[in-house]
């Protein structure tokens, strides 16, 4: 089972998404559910890395491994909404995936 935790700190503005585990839908290397989760979370990580390089974030963290972590603290202003929308978009995709593949 894949477990994803999404935390949005309303006071500090920090956004964190953690994903861990395996879907077990198909053999390793052929699991479309794991692949879909990986694509969604990796895309978020790429956006956060790009935003950090361009100076739109106060801090960020991307960790790969058994637990995949993407964390961002946007600079005040319009960056908050933009970065939060990336996390929300990925969350929406993960919810749709969980509905389509509930097991």
């Amino acid at each position: 089972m894949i477990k994803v935790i999404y935390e949005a700190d309303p006071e500090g503005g920090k956004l964190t998404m953690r994903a861990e585990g395996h879907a077990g839908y198909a053999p390793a290397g052929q699991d479309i559910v794991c692949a879909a989760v990986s694509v969604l979370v990796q895309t978020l990580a790429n956006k956060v890395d790009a935003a950090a390089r361009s100076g739109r974030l106060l801090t960020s963290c991307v960790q790969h491994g058994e637990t995949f972590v993407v964390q961002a603290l946007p600079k005040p202003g319009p960056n908050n909404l933009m970065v939060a929308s990336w996390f929300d978009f990925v969350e929406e995709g993960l919810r749709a995936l969980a509905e389509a593949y509930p097991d």
Side-chain angles (χ1 to χ4, degrees):
M1 172 162 79
I2 297 175
K3 180 178 181 181
V4 177
I5 299 171
Y6 173 37
E7 299 170 321
D9 177 6
E11 292 181 22
K14 182 170 72 172
L15 303 159
T16 305
M17 188 170 288
R18 289 181 184 84
E20 62 186 11
H22 298 283
Y25 182 78
Q30 300 174 9
D31 196 317
I32 61 172
V33 177
C34 283
V37 170
S38 294
V39 166
L40 285 166
V41 177
Q42 185 62 54
T43 299
L44 177 62
N46 292 345
K47 293 295 285 181
V48 166
D49 279 343
R53 284 192 305 275
S54 69
R56 292 181 283 176
L57 302 177
L58 293 173
T59 62
S60 68
C61 175
V62 174
Q63 297 176 337
H64 303 269
E66 287 297 314
T67 300
F68 197 109
V69 180
V70 182
Q71 207 169 53
L73 178 57
K75 287 185 175 179
N79 289 310
N80 282 340
L81 184 58
M82 177 186 65
V83 175
S85 70
W86 299 340
F87 279 80
D88 291 345
F89 184 83
V90 170
E91 179 189 30
E92 186 177 322
L94 291 168
R95 285 187 190 280
L97 187 61
E99 288 176 17
Y101 297 92
D103 294 332

